[in-house]
Amino acid sequence: MTLDCIINTLTGFWRDQGCTVLPAYDMEVGAGTMSPYTFFQVLSEKPVSLCYVQPSRRPTDGRYGENPNRVFKHHQLQVIIKPSPKEIQSLYLQSLQTIGIQIQDHDIRFIEDNWESPTLGAWGVGWEVWLDGMEITQFTYFQQCGGVDLPVPSVEITYGLERIALYIQDKLSVYDLQFGAGTLYGDLRLQEEVEQSKYCHELANSQRLLQLFQLYFEESEYCLQNRLVLPAYDYALKCSHVFNILDSLGALSVTERTRYLGKVRKLANQAAKQTIQSPQEDTK
Amino acid sequence: MKMDTPITATNYPAWLIEIGTEELPSSYMPLLERKLQERFQEWLREESWIKASETCHVRLTPRRIVFTIETIEEAQQKKEEWLKGPPVKAAFTQDNQETPALKGFLNRCRSGTYEIRTVENGQYVFGLSRPGNQTVIDFFHQQFPGFLLSFPYEKLMRWGQYQFIRPIKWVLALYGSTLIPMTILDTDSKLATRLLQGQGERVVNSSEEYYHLMHQNGIVLSISEREALIEAQIREKIKNRNLFSARFYIVTENACRTEVPVVVEALFPLSFTALPKEIIETVLTAQMKCFPLYEAETKQLTNRFLFVMNGERNTELVKKGFEKVVTARLSDAAYFYQQDKKIPFSTRKDWLSKVMFMEKLGTMDQKVQRVAYMAEKLGSYEEIQRYSENGLLPQVIQLYKLDLTTLLVQELTELQGTVGKIYIQESDEFDLINDVKDRDEIARAVEESYRPKSDEDTIEDLSRLGVMINLLDRWDTWIGVHCIGLNLSSSGDPLGIRRTVNGLLSILGKRPGTIPLSEYLRVGLEAYQQINEISFDIDKVKSDWNAYYLQRMRSLLSGSVHFGKHRYDIVQAVLNNTGSLQIQSPYEMSVKVDLLEKEILNPELKEQLKELYQSFIRMQKITNVTFSPGLPKDSLFESNAEEALWMAGKTVENEWNHCGINSVLALLYKLNKPIQRFFDEVMVMVDSPSIRENRLRLLSWLLSMMSDFADFSKIVFEGGNEQ
């Protein structure tokens, strides 16, 4: 089964379960959770069922295309549902069946693994799912987001698509994966990996990036002052991506690193707080 | 695979409740099984349903918590009686509302009538229990959900509007063949259970049927039985094959991740065996929870390993999967290893300033500087001097944190110290360490700087150089957290300070050393002032440090791998030594506790200890008046008994300084007779103020000397402390 077919089948499965299938968020993020579709939707009590594929950029993982498993950009399939259905684990296992993983044949286990994002002020309780020893999914019940205790915890399922495809296609290197019929992952992505790794590890201009960080940060704060949380959050994401490149360059000292992380978290926390407060503001 | 469960055909439990859950957190399961078992027994005894605790059990698999009672009366007659409930403090909130603890208690009493009574240890709520006939079904229908949900779980999660360890999927509740109706959160009890993940629901009409079903499907209910099963399968796999396995500490983890443990053998490519074996071992055990296999004779690591699968599956398919993951992880590790080796190890020094030690306490580079500062300032003490002179300790200090900058340690943090050791051994760049023996000693000490890695890890095998770097490093961390006023009293240990301090104290408990604790403290504080230029209130830091030190020692002496388990009263007596100005070392405390405990358990020796105790109490009482402190004067002695006691005291004081801590108690016994004689012949509270004060000073001086050893008044003697 090709990678595009895996994506189609899984999103189709979750659409049949009532999820709205969305396009990826069109900005750089480090993980599917950072998409505003997840970040803002989990904050309220309102039910939600969403599914989307999110390219996730992690500059420090860039390996110039030389490592078979680790890449600058990988793809996550994100499912977010609130409140969590009682049989969510069974649904998840059924979704694996649809892409040809016969669960009776395999050793599929839910291994204790709690999740935390210091940038988003978010954490959850849950598992990583092992398929014959390989971690293919993060399965989390969100407990807090943007520093706020969630009134109704959402369940978040994050499939690591490259890993699953490696398994299904029985390949050792991501670059050998069939992305679509006749198209190799390497054909589409290898050059990007080489160039992005070169950029993020060696070439990026840290002075300009620090200026960018500051500009994005100020713009985000400016939006927050005017109670425009969504534009503010977009700029917080920009900050986070610039921070990740600076980190990958090794351009931040230890104390600076903590300080910059704290700045992004502050933006995310404020955006979350304003989102929760806004309905009450409206009624004034 | 089918295995034996401990249940035989004749003793299926009469009562059984199974709570099916999403996978429980494996790291919490062993503790949870033990604590729930204790609480369950207690509860059933309090409620008079059982007399012997062995008839009820709690067993855990990753997906089920199973409560059983072997025999239980169908009903019991409840008399009307007043039952002691929660303390008032726990029963009401600040605005006088009933707490869940009180509500739960009143629910158990079933009458709603209660009153507050003052008893020996404070104010408690007492509730009147309703009389009448109560059936098993009624009781558990009403009370079991409350019991289950009110247990103080250490790991909880929220989902929907609910909270429990993990979401509940099903509840099976049986008495004989009858359903005990109950609702736990959002789940009603049913006569049904589930098998392995994805295998669906099965109807169950009796506990016999339940056990047959579990047995047929190989599901083993208790953690210890699954552990035994895994070990037996490992032994079976390597039998007669010139192989052996180690790393049995991951057996429990595997037993908590599987319901039907099946051990499978697999391979990784032979070429990886060229990697340092510690890297392979860590990938296999820490990351994958697999068991490496070694050749029995050569002890060489092979390219074979064992993993534990959950249930009978397509073994070939699962094995291929595990082999693929292990291979991918080993290739990652090999890549990091190759990358690391491109950079000369000693040049990594410059990078330490980029690695943070702890928020507010600066970088690893500063930590290394502080440790070097401490080593230099404490350089005249014997255990440091020998390694400063031959240059080994300064070299270890410069090298021991460098591996934190390697890709391997960033990826496999468990390997910190070990990677340092490997890279030092493999490196050819150290002009200074051209002696292979020195290099091995330094490399070993670098690895040992992280030992003990857990409270159970051994410390007896550490080298002296390893001990030294270890102590300096741990002292620096411990002092640092007090300098920034971190609150260490909470139950969590997010920064691992408790483990750091326990390790330090355990090493000091085994090895007396010549450096007083006060010196470590003084120099450590100075290092922070000099190198980090941070300011703090020295007296407050010292008092926080001392409080935490005593708290840790109390806990370690009360029960730990390295100090053993000691009586509470004796630990109190030793920790409470008030006479001394010098801080007692863990070694001294450990020796004293051992000595006192040995004496008190020996009927013959116990008598002299008791005599000493009685003298101590008597002197404490009599000197509990106001008088000006100071030493007694010979010229004011009026009787021989006074003179004799003074002389005996002087002798003990002199000998104390020359004999080891092991002989001090025997020395103190020499005071027994003179004290006895003093009290027989001398009246202390005489009219003459100068004579009275002189006698009080004599006793007070002796008391303070004895208190230097221990506060004897804290010791509790079997059969009473009568005087």
Side-chain angles (χ1 to χ4, degrees):
Chain A
M1 190 183 260
T2 54
L3 183 52
D4 62 353
C5 188
I6 292 172
I7 292 172
N8 251 338
T9 312
L10 286 177
T11 48
F13 174 85
W14 287 106
R15 189 176 45 235
D16 292 346
Q17 307 306 319
C19 285
T20 302
V21 179
L22 297 170
Y25 197 62
D26 54 349
M27 279 180 66
E28 305 93 337
V29 293
T33 309
M34 298 176 88
S35 159
Y37 299 143
T38 291
F39 185 84
F40 289 105
Q41 295 295 330
V42 299
L43 291 171
S44 72
E45 289 181 32
K46 224 168 72 185
V48 67
S49 297
L50 301 173
C51 167
Y52 55 89
V53 174
Q54 185 66 49
S56 302
R57 289 166 168 81
R58 297 189 177 165
T60 46
D61 280 350
R63 292 285 182 272
Y64 299 86
E66 289 169 12
N67 187 297
N69 306 304
R70 215 173 273 237
V71 283
F72 162 82
K73 186 170 88 184
H74 70 287
H75 297 80
Q76 298 183 340
L77 188 138
Q78 174 96 350
V79 178
I80 190 96
I81 304 179
K82 174 182 56 175
S84 51
K86 192 162 170 72
E87 293 304 333
I88 185 68
Q89 277 193 333
S90 305
L91 282 176
Y92 167 74
L93 292 173
Q94 282 173 40
S95 79
L96 295 183
Q97 299 259 32
T98 64
I99 49 172
I101 298 172
Q102 300 305 321
I103 58 171
Q104 295 303 338
D105 287 344
H106 293 279
D107 181 24
I108 298 175
R109 270 184 278 166
F110 290 72
I111 305 286
E112 178 187 10
D113 186 36
N114 299 333
W115 170 87
E116 186 184 20
S117 163
T119 355
L120 295 181
W123 64 275
V125 176
W127 308 269
E128 53 184 41
V129 182
W130 278 23
L131 168 67
D132 302 338
M134 186 194 283
E135 182 200 338
I136 54 164
T137 301
Q138 190 74 32
F139 196 112
T140 309
Y141 288 86
F142 264 35
Q143 308 286 300
Q144 208 182 55
C145 192
V148 173
D149 274 339
L150 300 175
V152 180
S154 301
V155 62
E156 180 201 56
I157 302 176
T158 306
Y159 298 77
L161 290 169
E162 277 85 348
R163 294 251 180 111
I164 291 173
L166 279 171
Y167 197 90
I168 289 176
Q169 295 181 23
D170 194 16
K171 293 279 162 44
L172 287 172
S173 165
V174 283
Y175 300 104
D176 297 332
L177 288 174
Q178 288 285 335
F179 209 121
T183 311
L184 285 180
Y185 192 93
D187 293 342
L188 280 175
R189 297 228 43 256
L190 181 60
Q191 191 60 22
E192 184 188 348
E193 284 295 323
V194 175
E195 290 191 14
Q196 289 285 11
S197 301
K198 177 113 184 130
Y199 172 73
C200 293
H201 294 316
E202 303 169 40
L203 222 77
N205 183 313
S206 57
Q207 281 316 308
R208 266 199 299 272
L209 287 173
L210 287 168
Q211 285 170 12
L212 278 176
F213 185 96
Q214 191 54 29
L215 289 174
Y216 290 142
F217 182 80
E218 284 169 19
E219 199 62 5
S220 179
E221 280 198 315
Y222 171 68
C223 296
L224 284 169
Q225 281 155 16
N226 289 285
R227 303 193 72 79
L228 294 172
V229 289
L230 291 163
Y233 187 76
D234 276 358
Y235 283 110
L237 289 181
K238 288 277 185 204
C239 284
S240 168
H241 182 58
V242 170
F243 167 84
N244 287 341
I245 300 172
L246 285 165
D247 196 27
S248 154
L249 277 173
L252 298 173
S253 75
V254 177
T255 28
E256 278 176 315
R257 194 178 183 280
T258 320
R259 195 162 63 85
Y260 280 97
L261 260 180
K263 282 180 125 183
V264 184
R265 182 168 56 243
K266 188 178 146 206
L267 295 175
N269 286 0
Q270 280 183 7
K273 289 211 171 73
Q274 286 194 14
T275 307
I276 294 166
Q277 285 159 4
S278 52
Q280 292 152 5
E281 293 289 318
D282 293 344
T283 58
K284 276 185 187 167
Chain B
M1 177 167 309
K2 307 286 178 272
M3 9 273 128
D4 292 323
T5 64
I7 303 294
T8 61
T10 50
N11 67 343
Y12 292 106
W15 179 103
L16 181 149
I17 291 184
E18 180 191 55
I19 311 295
T21 65
E22 292 185 3
E23 278 72 358
L24 298 169
S26 55
S27 63
Y28 179 40
M29 282 172 58
L31 180 74
L32 178 63
E33 190 180 71
R34 207 175 63 235
K35 294 275 175 192
L36 259 183
Q37 165 90 30
E38 284 168 16
R39 182 66 202 116
F40 184 50
Q41 284 175 359
E42 249 173 50
W43 180 60
L44 293 177
R45 270 203 302 265
E46 281 163 18
E47 296 293 344
S48 318
W49 284 105
I50 59 159
K51 285 189 183 70
S53 43
E54 54 279 6
T55 65
C56 65
H57 294 282
V58 180
R59 296 187 176 98
L60 255 60
T61 80
R63 299 221 306 150
R64 54 197 95 222
I65 307 172
V66 184
F67 297 84
T68 54
I69 308 172
E70 276 170 34
T71 48
I72 184 167
E73 294 295 321
E74 198 175 336
Q76 63 173 334
Q77 196 61 38
K78 284 263 184 186
K79 284 186 295 206
E80 183 178 273
E81 59 180 339
W82 285 96
L83 301 173
K84 187 176 168 194
V88 170
K89 261 192 295 186
F92 300 97
T93 59
Q94 283 181 341
D95 48 355
N96 221 22
Q97 298 297 310
E98 292 180 355
T99 62
L102 178 60
K103 284 181 187 158
F105 169 69
L106 294 178
N107 205 11
R108 271 201 297 148
C109 296
R110 299 176 305 132
S111 74
T113 310
Y114 70 89
E115 60 186 44
I116 291 163
R117 293 186 193 172
T118 305
V119 290
E120 220 172 66
N121 47 354
Q123 284 196 308
Y124 282 80
V125 174
F126 279 75
L128 188 66
S129 71
R130 199 175 65 185
N133 194 31
Q134 191 173 35
T135 65
V136 167
I137 300 224
D138 275 353
F139 176 79
F140 289 101
H141 158 70
Q142 287 165 9
Q143 306 300 336
F144 188 80
F147 162 77
L148 183 74
L149 299 173
S150 64
F151 182 83
Y153 298 100
E154 284 177 25
K155 293 198 176 187
L156 279 171
M157 69 164 268
R158 294 190 297 125
W159 76 98
Q161 317 96 321
Y162 309 106
Q163 179 165 295
F164 192 57
I165 322 168
R166 289 293 182 266
I168 294 175
K169 312 305 287 184
W170 76 91
V171 175
L172 163 69
L174 272 173
Y175 176 61
S177 54
T178 314
L179 173 78
I180 309 173
M182 64 176 71
T183 304
I184 298 179
L185 301 178
D186 58 344
T187 308
D188 295 330
S189 61
K190 284 207 292 192
L191 289 178
T193 183
R194 297 189 194 179
L195 301 174
L196 289 189
Q197 185 68 270
Q199 289 181 343
E201 197 172 272
R202 298 284 191 285
V203 172
V204 172
N205 285 306
S206 67
S207 68
E208 184 176 351
E209 249 182 67
Y210 176 81
Y211 276 94
H212 277 305
L213 198 59
M214 292 296 128
H215 187 67
Q216 271 167 11
N217 287 278
I219 296 174
V220 182
L221 293 180
S222 88
I223 298 173
S224 61
E225 284 166 44
R226 288 194 302 278
E227 286 172 343
L229 186 63
I230 291 170
E231 287 181 15
Q233 290 184 63
I234 292 177
R235 280 195 297 275
E236 189 59 35
K237 288 274 176 204
I238 58 180
K239 203 165 81 182
N240 304 326
R241 287 182 59 201
N242 193 30
L243 290 172
F244 77 92
S245 177
R247 315 275 154 174
F248 281 101
Y249 58 85
I250 54 169
V251 168
T252 305
E253 181 72 30
N254 274 296
C256 292
R257 289 179 171 199
T258 49
E259 298 202 278
V260 186
V262 180
V263 175
V264 180
E265 184 175 331
L267 291 169
F268 59 82
L270 198 58
S271 59
F272 287 118
T273 51
L275 283 171
K277 79 173 170 54
E278 292 90 342
I279 297 177
I280 301 172
E281 285 169 340
T282 305
V283 166
L284 287 174
T285 58
Q287 292 192 331
M288 302 295 300
K289 307 295 170 202
C290 297
F291 299 86
L293 290 175
Y294 303 80
E295 272 183 37
E297 281 153 23
T298 60
K299 310 265 190 289
Q300 291 279 315
L301 189 67
T302 69
N303 68 326
R304 296 172 182 278
F305 65 95
L306 301 173
F307 70 88
V308 186
M309 170 169 85
N310 188 30
E312 287 293 350
R313 308 284 174 175
N314 183 333
T315 309
E316 278 311 304
L317 208 58
V318 177
K319 181 175 139 185
K320 200 173 149 194
F322 266 84
E323 288 179 341
K324 201 168 158 181
V325 180
V326 166
T327 304
R329 289 192 185 255
L330 286 173
S331 339
D332 261 5
Y335 171 82
F336 295 134
Y337 177 67
Q338 300 306 337
Q339 293 298 316
D340 283 343
K341 301 281 282 183
K342 288 180 184 167
I343 296 159
F345 192 60
S346 61
T347 63
R348 292 179 177 274
K349 275 175 194 153
D350 305 336
W351 300 9
L352 280 185
S353 58
K354 289 197 170 188
V355 182
M356 179 142 153
F357 164 51
M358 209 181 280
E359 211 180 334
K360 296 187 190 155
L361 292 181
T363 64
M364 278 297 170
D365 180 46
Q366 287 174 314
K367 183 175 182 56
V368 167
Q369 287 180 45
R370 287 193 305 269
V371 169
Y373 180 93
M374 286 175 77
E376 193 198 322
K377 295 289 170 185
L378 297 171
S380 58
Y381 288 96
E382 188 244 321
E383 58 261 53
I384 292 194
Q385 198 178 21
R386 53 188 297 170
Y387 290 112
S388 297
E389 278 169 3
N390 64 16
L392 293 190
L393 185 59
Q395 288 184 74
V396 172
I397 293 173
Q398 291 310 312
L399 296 170
Y400 86 109
K401 288 292 179 195
L402 295 192
D403 67 355
L404 293 179
T405 69
T406 62
L407 292 172
L408 249 184
V409 168
Q410 282 157 19
E411 186 67 14
L412 300 167
T413 46
E414 303 88 347
L415 278 176
Q416 54 188 3
T418 305
V419 168
K421 177 192 81 174
I422 295 169
Y423 288 174
I424 292 168
Q425 281 171 336
E426 290 180 352
S427 172
D428 49 11
E429 62 184 289
F430 300 114
D431 299 336
L432 292 172
I433 324 176
N434 41 26
D435 187 327
V436 175
K437 198 170 140 277
D438 282 356
R439 177 173 303 186
D440 284 348
E441 203 172 345
I442 288 173
R444 181 177 168 188
V446 166
E447 184 175 41
E448 288 174 346
S449 67
Y450 288 95
R451 298 260 316 272
K453 289 198 169 185
S454 66
D455 288 346
E456 287 75 32
D457 194 3
T458 56
I459 48 178
E460 289 77 3
D461 54 335
L462 298 181
S463 70
R464 293 172 74 166
L465 184 58
V467 164
M468 229 33 259
I469 183 68
N470 198 310
L471 292 180
L472 292 171
D473 181 72
R474 285 172 195 257
W475 270 107
D476 175 73
T477 304
W478 186 9
I479 292 169
V481 295
H482 289 298
C483 287
I484 53 170
L486 214 67
N487 176 16
L488 298 178
S489 58
S490 64
S491 56
D493 187 27
L495 300 171
I497 303 300
R498 191 185 308 149
R499 207 175 55 227
T500 300
V501 175
N502 282 358
L504 170 69
L505 298 177
S506 301
I507 293 175
L508 288 175
K510 295 271 185 229
R511 297 169 184 247
T514 64
I515 311 174
L517 303 199
S518 54
E519 273 295 278
Y520 277 117
L521 191 57
R522 182 182 65 79
V523 173
L525 286 169
E526 232 173 70
Y528 274 98
Q529 286 168 325
Q530 296 291 326
I531 287 146
N532 292 57
E533 294 178 5
I534 55 175
S535 57
F536 40 80
D537 176 348
I538 288 198
D539 290 336
K540 180 168 188 315
V541 170
K542 282 186 178 169
S543 98
D544 286 355
W545 173 86
N546 196 49
Y548 193 63
Y549 172 48
L550 293 180
Q551 187 215 85
R552 283 294 87 220
M553 283 310 297
R554 183 171 294 123
S555 152
L556 289 169
L557 289 168
S558 302
S560 62
V561 174
H562 298 297
F563 286 95
K565 191 172 163 51
H566 298 286
R567 279 172 45 156
Y568 179 77
D569 57 327
I570 290 183
V571 172
Q572 281 296 93
V574 170
L575 289 181
N576 238 35
N577 84 328
T578 47
S580 183
L581 293 174
Q582 187 76 17
I583 308 165
Q584 308 183 86
S585 72
Y587 177 75
E588 285 171 318
M589 291 190 190
S590 165
V591 169
K592 286 179 185 177
V593 167
D594 278 342
L595 272 177
L596 287 172
E597 207 161 68
K598 216 184 307 165
E599 304 268 314
I600 208 165
L601 291 175
N602 182 327
E604 285 167 31
L605 301 174
K606 190 176 122 182
E607 284 315 307
Q608 16 180 17
L609 181 61
K610 194 163 182 181
E611 214 174 301
L612 197 66
Y613 158 84
Q614 285 162 347
S615 304
F616 190 88
I617 294 277
R618 209 163 163 191
M619 293 187 330
Q620 246 185 356
K621 278 187 187 154
I622 211 159
T623 55
N624 195 17
V625 292
T626 319
F627 62 97
S628 62
L631 285 177
K633 291 187 183 125
D634 311 35
S635 55
L636 291 172
F637 290 142
E638 289 190 329
S639 77
N640 288 342
E642 276 175 285
E643 187 79 35
L645 182 55
W646 171 239
M647 293 315 289
K650 289 281 227 190
T651 313
V652 169
E653 192 181 37
N654 283 334
E655 284 182 28
W656 189 313
N657 295 326
H658 307 298
C659 72
I661 183 83
N662 282 296
S663 321
V664 173
L665 194 56
L667 201 58
L668 288 175
Y669 290 151
K670 290 187 184 169
L671 293 173
N672 273 342
K673 285 212 164 63
I675 296 176
Q676 197 57 49
R677 184 177 161 205
F678 176 89
F679 281 121
D680 287 347
E681 298 178 15
V682 179
M683 164 96 167
V684 179
M685 305 310 267
V686 290
D687 290 341
S688 157
S690 58
I691 303 289
R692 185 173 69 226
E693 186 158 288
N694 203 51
R695 287 173 183 169
L696 285 168
R697 283 175 168 190
L698 173 62
L699 294 180
S700 160
W701 170 71
L702 283 169
L703 198 58
S704 140
M705 191 157 64
M706 289 163 78
S707 302
D708 246 2
F709 188 85
D711 177 356
F712 290 92
S713 70
K714 291 280 183 285
I715 300 176
V716 179
F717 288 89
E718 208 180 308
N721 284 17
E722 83 290 347
Q723 284 153 48

